[in-house]
Each structure stands twice: as structure tokens, then as C-alpha cells.
Amino acid sequence: ATPETQDSFEAEFDQFGDSYSKPLITTCLKEIFERIPSESFRAITADEILLIEQNYLERPPWGLFRMCVVYIDLYSVIGEKSTRIENSQLEIVEKMMKYYGAVISQKLGKEVTHVIIDKCDTRRLSHLRTQVKDLLRDNPFKAVPI
């Protein structure tokens, strides 16, 4: 191809053959994706997802809790992964929060914006309150009984 043809092609297509201006059918898009080396794929962060949603989508429901970092009271010893309470109704809440964009924290920390507890199991509530007293001064979050 002549340099002019090459320049024209580069102006209309990306390095994998995707046109910037022409609609694609599914099979063509699949072929383009197959040309992209797997090494170039990377997971995007919650912040990057939020930025995409804010810039290109009108308040998608799946991003409802995108700005939330949630501690769910799923452990008999607060923050100890090995003490996870099996068959808790909060397991469903955990899945829903993830689906709607929340980041689930397994430990209480300054990044936590919400704490979710089981209203039928408040045995750890006073201990939770004690643990978060200092955190509340610096970073208030909301305890939500479910």
C-alpha cells in the first residue's frame, strides 16, 4: 500500500481493525477481539468503572453502591475470615452489594463507609461500636441493620 493509503487506513481503523465510524456486526467484533493479544487485557479498578459510568451512562442501577466500601457482619470474630458465619442471610446482601457496585471489606478500616449487621443477630453490635469509635471521629459511616 502507498503511504497515503496507509495513512488513510490508520485514520479510520485502530490497530486491531476496528473502524471508528462504521457499525459492526457481532461476528466482525468477535474477530477484532480475537486479534487483541491477551497480555493487553487488564482488570479495571472500581474508580475506573465509576469514571466510565459517570461520563457515558445515565445513572446505571448496577452502580448504585459504587462509591461504598462496606463491612458486612459475617464473622463471629469481627474481621477474622476464618470465623465466617455459614448460611447467614447477610450472604445474599453481600452478593447484592457486590452486584450493585460496592466494594466489600473484610476488615473494619478507615476506608469503610457502611457497616451492615443482621438485625436478628446483634451479639457483636456493642463490640462493633467499640471498634469503630475511633474510626467514626475521622471517617463517619452508617450502620445499617438488615
Side-chain angles (χ1 to χ4, degrees):
T2 66
E4 294 81 21
T5 304
Q6 184 70 26
D7 289 344
S8 173
F9 183 78
E10 287 176 4
E12 298 212 18
F13 296 90
D14 70 12
Q15 66 195 43
F16 306 109
D18 182 21
S19 168
Y20 296 118
S21 59
K22 295 181 181 155
L24 286 172
I25 60 173
T26 307
T27 53
C28 291
L29 188 58
K30 185 177 179 186
E31 289 172 9
I32 290 168
F33 283 148
E34 288 172 352
R35 285 186 220 130
I36 301 172
S38 60
E39 309 84 58
S40 64
F41 292 122
R42 69 170 180 82
I44 61 174
T45 67
D47 289 338
E48 290 171 320
I49 293 171
L50 176 63
L51 190 61
I52 291 167
E53 288 176 349
Q54 288 174 335
N55 290 330
Y56 302 108
L57 305 171
E58 288 187 31
R59 307 194 94 216
W62 61 83
L64 182 63
F65 298 114
R66 181 84 58 223
M67 300 294 291
C68 300
V69 178
V70 181
Y71 175 82
I72 301 175
D73 186 33
L74 284 167
Y75 310 98
S76 56
V77 176
I78 296 170
E80 292 290 327
K81 289 176 18 177
S82 63
T83 65
R84 187 173 173 103
I85 301 166
E86 295 299 319
N87 302 316
S88 167
Q89 73 177 11
L90 294 179
E91 289 176 348
I92 294 170
V93 173
E94 179 183 38
K95 290 182 184 348
M96 289 176 63
M97 294 299 292
K98 283 181 183 178
Y99 176 78
Y100 286 106
V103 173
I104 306 300
S105 176
Q106 295 178 342
K107 294 187 178 189
L108 287 170
K110 292 186 185 227
E111 73 281 352
V112 171
T113 59
H114 294 74
V115 175
I116 299 178
I117 61 171
D118 184 342
K119 67 181 176 185
C120 298
D121 181 9
T122 58
R123 292 174 289 173
R124 289 168 303 286
L125 183 56
S126 63
H127 191 58
L128 275 166
R129 283 185 176 148
T130 301
Q131 275 199 346
V132 300
K133 190 173 184 180
D134 290 336
L135 293 173
L136 283 173
R137 264 187 253 128
D138 298 332
N139 187 30
F141 57 81
K142 194 168 181 71
V144 182
I146 301 236

